[in-house]
Amino acid sequence: MIVFASGAYQSMAAAIGKTSERALGKFRTARFENGEMHVEVQTSPLNEHCLILGSIAPPDEQLVSVLLLAHTLKKEGARRVIAAFPYLAYARHDKDKPGESLAAAWAGALIQASGIDQLITVDVHSERAKALFQVPVISLSPAELFAEVLRGHSLRDATIVAPDGGAIGRCQAVKVAAGLADDQIPYFEKHRTPTGITHSGPLGEVGRRVVMVDDILDTGGTLLSACEKLRAAGVGDISIMVTHGLFTGERWKALWRLGVKRIFCTDSVPLPAGLDADRIVRLPLAPLLEFTLRGLA
Ligand code: R5P
């Protein structure tokens, strides 16, 4: 299998290549004078299984570059093209509302049309999104990585709490992976209002030490609102585990003032520059991806 990695995923590709001795493929993206994109594949994919490691957004231009790359690999005779997008952008846009775009279905159709045969991602937002992606999707669970954190940071006695109903399954998976009793998960009910996110809860006993588990920390709105409620309930020590740390904007930084000690996230997306490296702990995905690729070879 030849691995073609886009810019931000070069080090993950190198880590995968190091353990498996997979060849790293070379390609180049450029633009015509008027800005239209162009891809040149410099490693022949003829009759090869190819892996594209990258992301389709943000920014959106990644969508054009990885899909143009997939199309070029197929055109040049690749036997099979697998895309590993550790963070599957647009998967959150999975609800069909009249008059609004259904971006998960749209992105899925483009991925299929570009010749990608198999998609691998980590912790896809929902089963509904997975079904909309029109190509076979393997969604890897980060539960083992988070369970390892619970063990390594003496957090096994903390209460695992879900910031909304959609995160309950993620919390249960982490508890099972950590060998903890799979009992009721305290959770919040999340309400979206025109002015932002509000929470009611927590529903269930939370104690004084909490680990909150979710798939995405984007602006931090969801976790901030839940942390405010936890503080009001007397929780003094909060850790956060998110699969995808997007850390958009500045608002999420208020989490530190609400008693959050550490944020653990995978390296599914590059970290914005200048973030507090002591309190944001990154969990490498390369071993999990490599293990999965071995099963596909
Ligand atoms: C929503 O359903 C997701 O699971 C996350 O809770 C959400 O996308 C996080 O976004 P933000 O950090 O902007 O609240």
Side-chain angles (χ1 to χ4, degrees):
M1 181 181 284
I2 308 175
V3 182
F4 294 85
S6 62
Y9 291 85
Q10 295 292 338
S11 59
M12 193 183 283
I16 289 174
K18 204 181 278 174
T19 49
S20 62
E21 293 175 7
R22 291 184 201 285
L24 296 180
K26 285 202 178 125
F27 70 102
R28 194 174 74 86
T29 54
R31 289 189 185 273
F32 292 107
E33 301 264 324
N34 69 345
E36 289 165 25
M37 209 178 276
H38 169 253
V39 167
E40 185 191 334
V41 173
Q42 294 148 330
T43 306
S44 172
L46 188 61
N47 294 327
E48 298 283 354
H49 291 252
C50 297
L51 175 77
I52 299 176
L53 183 59
S55 174
I56 52 172
D60 280 334
E61 69 172 59
Q62 294 194 74
L63 180 74
V64 182
S65 69
V66 296
L67 297 191
L68 202 49
L69 173 61
H71 191 266
T72 312
L73 292 173
K74 269 291 174 72
K75 177 178 79 66
E76 292 302 308
R79 186 181 299 175
R80 189 172 183 218
V81 176
I82 300 170
F85 301 148
Y87 168 63
L88 189 50
Y90 293 113
R92 269 188 291 175
H93 308 264
D94 63 348
K95 293 195 186 81
D96 194 355
K97 297 180 188 162
E100 293 184 24
S101 56
L102 183 56
W106 162 78
L110 293 180
I111 286 169
Q112 186 195 38
S114 302
I116 290 170
D117 302 293
Q118 170 82 61
L119 192 52
I120 303 173
T121 189
V122 182
D123 200 2
V124 70
H125 179 65
S126 64
E127 285 302 313
R128 182 172 45 230
K130 193 173 166 186
L132 287 171
F133 266 83
Q134 289 180 36
V135 286
V137 178
I138 296 174
S139 175
L140 304 175
S141 169
E144 276 296 340
L145 297 176
F146 291 154
E148 195 55 46
V149 170
L150 291 182
R151 288 189 280 266
H153 288 77
S154 312
L155 286 167
R156 281 170 58 89
D157 62 337
T159 311
I160 312 266
V161 176
D164 59 30
I168 293 174
R170 293 186 170 89
C171 294
Q172 278 164 337
V174 173
K175 287 186 84 167
V176 169
L180 297 168
D182 181 20
D183 44 15
Q184 286 291 92
I185 303 286
Y187 72 103
F188 289 91
E189 277 175 356
K190 180 160 102 176
H191 316 282
R192 288 187 191 274
T193 68
T195 52
I197 290 166
T198 61
H199 277 85
S200 42
L203 306 172
E205 276 298 310
V206 291
R208 293 196 48 78
R209 221 169 163 223
V210 158
V211 175
M212 270 208 290
V213 178
D214 203 359
D215 59 339
I216 302 169
L217 189 165
D218 185 0
T219 64
T222 300
L223 289 161
L224 275 167
S225 170
C227 283
E228 278 164 8
K229 290 280 179 186
L230 287 175
R231 288 292 279 186
V235 178
D237 183 330
I238 307 171
S239 297
I240 287 172
M241 292 179 182
V242 285
T243 312
H244 311 291
L246 307 188
F247 301 105
T248 304
E250 300 291 317
R251 208 173 137 223
W252 64 270
K253 291 182 181 167
L255 288 168
W256 304 134
R257 292 200 294 278
L258 287 170
V260 173
K261 299 271 187 272
R262 285 214 172 95
I263 300 175
F264 300 91
C265 61
T266 74
D267 58 355
S268 64
V269 283
L271 211 53
L275 292 194
D276 184 343
D278 284 342
R279 288 194 287 180
I280 297 176
V281 182
R282 303 249 290 162
L283 312 172
L285 285 171
L288 186 57
L289 281 171
E290 170 49 27
F291 180 78
T292 308
L293 292 172
R294 249 182 277 150
L296 287 176

